[in-house]
Amino acid sequence: AQTVTQSQPEMSVQEAETVTLSCTYDTSESDYYLFWYKQPPSRQMILVIRQEAYKQQNATENRFSVNFQKAAKSFSLKISDSQLGDAAMYFCAYRSALSNFGNEKLTFGTGTRLTIIP
Amino acid sequence: DTEVTQTPKHLVMGMTNKKSLKCEQHMGHRAMYWYKQKAKKPPELMFVYSYEKLSINESVPSRFSPECPNSSLLNLHLHALQPEDSALYLCASSQGISPRDEQFFGPGTRLTVL
């Protein structure tokens, strides 16, 4: 079974600064997908960024980028130029790359609550 | 329309009640999901329907009964719940069952069982 670990329950960052959220995972599969989801207080969970394990290039989405270290099973999220709207719970998640029935499951980490200091 | 809608937003029920949660999407997605999220915890998968067939049941107690009447609608029927079932119930949908297909989440139904 796959496990996802987020060792930082809470983080804070000054507005406009950069912050990195950590995530490690354990799997015996060679092909899989990793995700960062954002859940603002009382608002819907949304996908921030996704990484395909067979791609060596780190994914980026505007101010969000990842550092994917496959051998180390590490998948950190870097938020640059932090904004007040970035305040949320951030979940790291794992999914098998198999596209068949029974493999649709997302396995989430325990989350990191990010606070932005004005 | 890129929304997943859930009704009701809040639900309070007694342990002997029968109620239903409803989830709807009009994005043409063929996979729909129910998650349970306790306070300050990650979402836990309960059920997955793929192409209107139950694909995953994560050993959920039978007091939770999912139903997928059509490709746009997903229900969760509740009966004889326990206080520990109080949680935020999230619905999600995705285009298909490929890992490339983003899961879109609804705002959730906050359930309190008295």
Side-chain angles (χ1 to χ4, degrees):
Chain A
Q2 294 79 26
T3 59
V4 178
T5 301
Q6 293 179 249
S7 58
Q8 304 154 315
E10 295 184 358
M11 292 278 287
S12 60
V13 63
Q14 207 80 28
E15 195 176 0
E17 296 295 309
T18 295
V19 64
T20 299
L21 308 184
S22 301
C23 172
T24 59
Y25 58 94
D26 190 27
T27 183
S28 58
E29 298 180 318
S30 58
D31 200 10
Y32 47 87
Y33 284 67
L34 296 165
F35 307 85
W36 280 99
Y37 278 88
K38 169 186 176 181
Q39 188 175 36
S42 302
R43 291 180 60 192
Q44 282 160 260
M45 187 172 307
I46 58 172
L47 177 66
V48 175
I49 198 165
R50 142 183 51 212
Q51 175 77 41
E52 302 176 44
Y54 70 87
K55 287 188 176 179
Q56 292 189 344
Q57 187 172 5
N58 289 324
T60 62
E61 287 286 343
N62 301 314
R63 297 182 296 107
F64 298 88
S65 62
V66 299
N67 183 2
F68 173 49
Q69 302 288 329
K70 190 173 184 179
K73 295 182 180 174
S74 169
F75 181 60
S76 61
L77 174 70
K78 185 170 86 171
I79 306 174
S80 304
D81 185 25
S82 298
Q83 300 175 0
L84 294 177
D86 295 333
M89 181 73 91
Y90 285 81
F91 292 102
C92 178
Y94 172 102
R95 219 215 97 151
S96 169
L98 295 173
S99 295
N100 56 302
F101 292 113
N103 281 292
E104 304 93 328
K105 180 177 180 177
L106 277 176
T107 300
F108 287 92
T110 50
T112 296
R113 182 168 300 282
L114 179 64
T115 301
I116 311 297
I117 303 167
Chain B
D1 185 355
T2 58
E3 268 196 341
V4 175
T5 58
Q6 290 187 244
T7 54
K9 284 188 168 54
H10 301 274
L11 178 63
V12 179
M13 60 186 290
M15 289 190 284
T16 58
N17 292 158
K18 284 186 183 180
K19 296 286 185 183
S20 296
L21 308 185
K22 179 180 171 181
C23 173
E24 202 160 5
Q25 55 85 16
H26 295 288
M27 296 180 277
H29 288 179
R30 302 308 303 274
M32 296 185 76
Y33 312 76
W34 279 117
Y35 290 88
K36 173 183 177 180
Q37 186 176 25
K38 301 283 274 184
K40 299 185 179 180
K41 298 287 187 183
E44 296 176 4
L45 184 67
M46 300 175 72
F47 303 103
V48 180
Y49 271 84
S50 297
Y51 297 85
E52 296 153 61
K53 293 186 179 174
L54 184 62
S55 173
I56 296 179
N57 177 342
E58 288 283 289
S59 302
V60 178
S62 60
R63 57 186 184 267
F64 295 92
S65 174
E67 179 197 17
C68 188
N70 59 58
S71 59
S72 301
L73 192 54
L74 184 67
N75 297 321
L76 186 63
H77 302 299
L78 314 172
H79 174 53
L81 295 194
Q82 304 296 309
E84 60 263 29
D85 296 321
S86 298
L88 182 67
Y89 287 83
L90 296 171
C91 175
S93 71
S94 61
Q95 181 68 41
I97 59 175
S98 164
R100 293 191 186 88
D101 295 329
E102 177 181 346
Q103 286 191 29
F104 290 82
F105 285 81
T109 293
R110 189 161 297 282
L111 174 68
T112 302
V113 182
L114 301 176

